[in-house]
Amino acid sequence: MRRFLDGWQQPFRPQWPTWFSVSLGRFTQFVRWASLFIATGGALAPQLAAARDALPIERLSLPPGFYVEVLSDQVPGARGMVLGPKGTLFVGSRAQGAVYAITLDPSRAYAAKVRTVASGLNMPVGVAMRSGALYISAVSRIVKLDDIENRLDNPGQPSVVYDKLPGESHHGWRYIAFGPDQRLYIGVGAPCNVCKRDENRYAMIGSMKPDGTDWRVVARGVRNTVGFDWQPGTNTLWFTDNGRDLLGDDVPDDELNRLTRTGEHFGFPYCHAGNVADPEFGREKRCSAFTPPMAKLGAHVAALGMKFYTGKQFPEDYRGSIFIAEHGSWNRSRKVGYRVVRVVLDTKGNVAKQEVFAQGWLGDDESVWGRPVDLLTLPDGSLLISDDHAGAIYRITYRKP
């Protein structure tokens, strides 16, 4: 774990002794364990395996005082994340069809263990926790694994909670999360680049009770959200939304939106980014008829996961900020995104500024070695970032310079 702005620096961390040697046939390799204490009902610590040195985290730049380490590089296709009440990190995937459980425990020789707790699912990107059960999105279905943290080695088959979501694979990967009202919120993308479909079924955010009943439409005109969170103190829902393609390199912007009332419409497919009329559908309804974004994030950056920072480890002015993972462009003449940005709100809840927080997954030569997807604040105030390209989870910590 190093900081990359003022040169190479090794951060402070509590050191654990060299535990043991591992025989690898003709040679013996000593592995040195380092750990940072995380309080979450028990002590947690990341394993710093030698294989992780293959990820070039020295290319990542962060503000002064921030450090990055690889928590695990054994999470193929890592997407959505959620932390269980006993400290297990659950991670979804897309093409891999798997859901992983990462157990961190400094009292064992193996400081980190990655298990596959579900497999063979259809793009299980989203994961959420409630009452000890792990909820998983699988395109047309929401399934769950009950009492999962007590059954990591024998989780069994997931049971179906809800099976009436659209089955199209285009924008079919679904972010899910439980809101302050204890309802499960689900993003349902448009099954196209741009098209007009049933607004009660596509391009929207819905919610339901944990048992799959009482389905409601929460927001309409949302092309494809793959990240949302609730602002602490107000419980207001904020979400990212990916703009449409094929209008050029710089149009339209991805969006950061805020929901102020149930059923609010954010423009798709008629209007994009608040002021860009769609060439095909824009004549039907004006942009003024819809809620504009709170912030424009840039065209094709692929803004996915977003989280309000709720920890206390980072400096005071970071508290309440929004972190957004930009997965990166796929069809722009010059790549953009591939970074994590910070959005700062003022006292009235409006966007005061945007700034780059972490970057370096995209090289100057446009080579790509990582793509941020989701974010999660741990109980100790550190920040996790998932990366489906590298199959990794990163951990960012802060120490005053």
Side-chain angles (χ1 to χ4, degrees):
M1 183 169 70
R2 297 179 175 89
R3 178 162 58 114
F4 307 105
L5 276 187
D6 305 323
W8 290 72
Q9 296 188 30
Q10 185 68 28
F12 167 82
R13 60 163 67 120
Q15 294 295 317
W16 291 81
T18 300
W19 282 83
F20 58 97
S21 62
V22 180
S23 175
L24 296 178
R26 291 176 297 178
F27 63 93
T28 300
Q29 187 178 42
F30 287 95
V31 180
R32 176 177 151 192
W33 304 100
S35 65
L36 286 166
F37 185 82
I38 304 172
T40 175
L44 305 179
Q47 176 191 21
L48 301 181
R52 294 175 190 164
D53 292 340
L55 292 179
I57 60 171
E58 69 277 3
R59 300 181 189 175
L60 298 179
S61 61
L62 297 160
F66 287 92
Y67 301 86
V68 60
E69 67 180 346
V70 179
L71 187 70
S72 175
D73 65 353
Q74 302 299 310
V75 195
R79 298 280 295 197
M81 297 184 289
V82 70
L83 191 69
K86 293 186 177 181
T88 308
L89 177 66
F90 295 97
V91 185
S93 67
R94 192 168 77 173
Q96 291 74 13
V99 178
Y100 311 99
I102 302 177
T103 303
L104 309 170
D105 187 350
S107 67
R108 299 173 56 185
Y110 295 96
K113 183 174 183 179
V114 180
R115 299 175 174 89
T116 299
V117 293
S119 60
L121 296 175
N122 190 6
M123 295 194 289
V125 165
V127 287
M129 289 289 305
R130 185 181 184 277
S131 301
L134 177 66
Y135 287 71
I136 305 166
S137 68
V139 185
S140 64
R141 304 185 303 160
I142 302 296
V143 300
K144 70 172 180 173
L145 292 166
D146 289 315
D147 195 27
I148 183 61
E149 287 187 286
N150 293 321
R151 302 172 58 191
L152 294 176
D153 290 319
N154 186 25
Q157 293 298 313
S159 59
V160 177
V161 177
Y162 189 78
D163 62 359
K164 297 179 177 62
L165 295 168
E168 289 92 340
S169 59
H170 194 124
H171 295 155
W173 47 93
R174 314 204 186 285
Y175 187 85
I176 62 174
F178 278 97
D181 56 3
Q182 299 306 307
R183 294 176 65 87
L184 182 66
Y185 286 70
I186 305 166
V188 181
C192 55
N193 174 34
V194 60
C195 58
K196 188 165 66 172
R197 301 290 290 271
D198 183 353
E199 293 183 342
N200 293 316
R201 187 164 172 79
Y202 297 94
M204 46 83 81
I205 300 174
S207 77
M208 64 183 185
K209 291 181 178 180
D211 63 0
T213 61
D214 192 29
W215 174 264
R216 301 176 187 174
V217 176
V218 175
R220 296 182 175 88
V222 181
R223 180 177 178 270
N224 187 39
T225 180
V226 195
F228 44 80
D229 196 13
W230 288 262
Q231 184 178 22
T234 69
N235 289 339
T236 303
L237 178 65
W238 291 64
F239 59 93
T240 57
D241 191 14
N242 286 184
R244 65 156 290 175
D245 297 314
L246 307 179
L247 288 185
D249 275 0
D250 302 313
V251 178
D253 286 79
D254 283 4
E255 304 172 17
L256 176 64
N257 293 298
R258 179 179 65 185
L259 184 74
T260 60
R261 65 182 185 276
T262 300
E264 197 167 4
H265 201 297
F266 293 87
F268 181 85
Y270 311 100
C271 179
H272 311 286
N275 61 356
V276 178
D278 186 80
E280 183 176 355
F281 300 105
R283 295 181 181 86
E284 298 181 28
K285 296 182 181 181
R286 294 184 177 181
C287 286
S288 59
F290 308 110
T291 301
M294 295 298 294
K296 298 180 181 182
L297 303 174
H300 306 294
V301 298
L304 301 188
M306 62 139 293
K307 286 291 187 299
F308 284 92
Y309 181 70
T310 56
K312 296 181 179 180
Q313 183 182 127
F314 292 5
E316 180 72 29
D317 63 343
Y318 278 78
R319 298 175 192 176
S321 295
I322 299 172
F323 287 104
I324 299 175
E326 294 183 354
H327 197 232
S329 58
W330 66 272
N331 66 341
R332 195 174 183 275
S333 61
R334 185 166 181 83
K335 293 182 174 69
V336 292
Y338 305 91
R339 62 186 185 178
V340 175
V341 299
R342 173 190 174 214
V343 176
V344 180
L345 305 181
D346 62 22
T347 56
K348 295 182 179 180
N350 296 313
V351 173
K353 67 175 180 178
Q354 301 180 48
E355 62 186 18
V356 176
F357 176 69
Q359 64 182 344
W361 288 280
L362 174 65
D364 292 338
D365 61 353
E366 295 205 308
S367 61
V368 173
W369 66 270
R371 304 186 74 179
V373 177
D374 197 19
L375 307 118
L376 180 69
T377 305
L378 288 181
D380 74 336
S382 59
L383 182 71
L384 298 186
I385 303 169
S386 63
D387 177 345
D388 62 347
H389 185 83
I393 308 293
Y394 311 100
R395 182 168 180 248
I396 294 179
T397 55
Y398 177 80
R399 178 171 61 91
K400 187 175 180 179

